[in-house]
Amino acid sequence: MPAINEGRMGLNSDGEKGDSRRGRETGTLGKLMALVDHVALADGPMRFTDILSLSDQPRGTLHRQLSHLVEEGLLEVDRDGRYLIGIRLLNLASRSWARNEFRAVAEPHLRHLQELTGETVHLGVLRGSEVIYLDKVEGRQSVRMYSQIGNASPAYCTGVGKAALSALDDLDLAGRIAALEFRPYTQHTHRNAARLLADIVEIRVRGYAFDREEHESGICCVAAPIRADDGGMLAGVSVTGPAYRVTSQKLQQWAPLVVAAADSIMTDMRNRLGPKR
Amino acid sequence: MPAINEGRMGLNSDGEKGDSRRGRETGTLGKLMALVDHVALADGPMRFTDILSLSDQPRGTLHRQLSHLVEEGLLEVDRDGRYLIGIRLLNLASRSWARNEFRAVAEPHLRHLQELTGETVHLGVLRGSEVIYLDKVEGRQSVRMYSQIGNASPAYCTGVGKAALSALDDLDLAGRIAALEFRPYTQHTHRNAARLLADIVEIRVRGYAFDREEHESGICCVAAPIRADDGGMLAGVSVTGPAYRVTSQKLQQWAPLVVAAADSIMTDMRNRLGPKR
DNA sequence: ATCTGTAGTTCCATTATTTGGAATGAAATT
DNA sequence: AATTTCATTCCAAATAATGGAACTACAGAT
């Protein structure tokens, strides 16, 4: 089965602004991180002038900002003076991943779910109106494992994303949906808020979500929401596979397993965090 | 300690080429990233007061700084108000990794090297006096796949690190070594600059480096340097395995293969970058 | 209930950093 | 050689960060 990632990376993170524009300004940091985003979202290395045209800042200002980012290792310059994302980010991220408690708690359950179903299992957290994949367990180890982890996908057309959205209260949900731009990745992608909301209502009743080729043709999944105790964090777990193998019956059959895995993760989180402190 | 640089010390502490110096002139960003580092390096979530005791800043200042970092997603707060590394970093890092040209060019060669030797192959880049692992190809291991990617290890006691150091000119090398703190990870770890320098001289002559349980007991490797065209970036490739399986003979036997892989990667980089623009 | 200590948050005049227009370099292109 | 494009440096003015202190919240002890 072809990986669910690689070629699409440039596209899927493009359209939507991952998090609704907060009224708050973070001053200097916000401006700098916006630059990092520009460089991260670009298809390749960017020249000074490329960035200048995207950011509405004067030359002198931009130049110093980029210099600072490079000095801190958040960006790098290649020998042609073009800007790239720096590897310091990789280092920071690997730490954040290795020490992420939620991920560590979930891992055995993901593995178990993978063994039960034989298909790929994903763990993703909701961030704004995107899902960021925190972990992935595949059957036969294919190589491009890391490529999926850390990837962002739109919440409205992925199983994990819709499952997580379904756990939001109406107000919050409405806010995030308002920030969406519905982009037709496949013939089955929801085209508007009404269709998405109808789907989410069903998901709330059922307790689990389906994605039948909504994000990528030929890829289906069933997913269940994971609610954090404090409600601050929402996540989801899913079983994903190619449509020719993962039939509707299979999805139905796996749904209780996925829900059970999600519940186990929630329970473990509560148990681990409760007595700890 | 035999002075390779006694008289140069004054010079290279001033030299601004290597970024090993923490002479931060990045203003606000530098202070903020130092906080991110503190949180990233901690063993677990940190309370406000914990960070306060590490950073020498007033309460009010620190509070606002942390707020900004959280708002930008570089940090997160858990339900107890403790600070963690944010997943936005994971997302940025996955992009930097997926689009890293060097990694992409090297990958097939790493895979080939893995097949030839049957052991684990690493690709790492030198950053200051640390090595950050960019990629890893394992034989059949199922679990710890990306635990290594993005990790930083000291350059002076890893194969990849020593190989990369050996490609530096004397001045730069002296500067980075001056910044080192020799920590005895194992019985075989170099304890001082003299021993390390002697090793590096040998590596320069041979063209490849050994690590015989210098960083981790029971783990050996052979590594070769990868010099970037512009000299700005240095990297290394290595074959690593457990000492009981990876004997000295094996290391010797693999050395030419590792060097050949490194050379192929260099060639490919030149060919890809040259005509491209 | 009150006191006391610890942890976290907010406020605002002062201070230091960032800003941005314009001038200067440095390369390509004509 | 002249022109255009791109990148870098400078410095007065604008703005954002600073830090001391006052304030809230909560826990445990008296």
Side-chain angles (χ1 to χ4, degrees), chain B residues 159-185:
Chain B
V160 167
K162 292 193 297 179
L165 288 177
S166 79
L168 290 169
D169 61 75
D170 285 337
L171 183 65
D172 199 346
L173 179 63
R176 306 216 194 194
I177 288 184
L180 283 182
E181 183 191 340
F182 288 86
R183 181 180 154 180
Y185 291 93

Side-chain angles (χ1 to χ4, degrees), chain A residues 104-126:
Chain A
V105 166
E107 188 183 310
H109 300 289
L110 305 183
R111 207 166 293 284
H112 184 228
L113 189 55
Q114 195 283 320
E115 282 162 13
L116 289 177
T117 62
E119 296 292 344
T120 300
V121 172
H122 283 119
L123 176 72
V125 300
L126 187 65

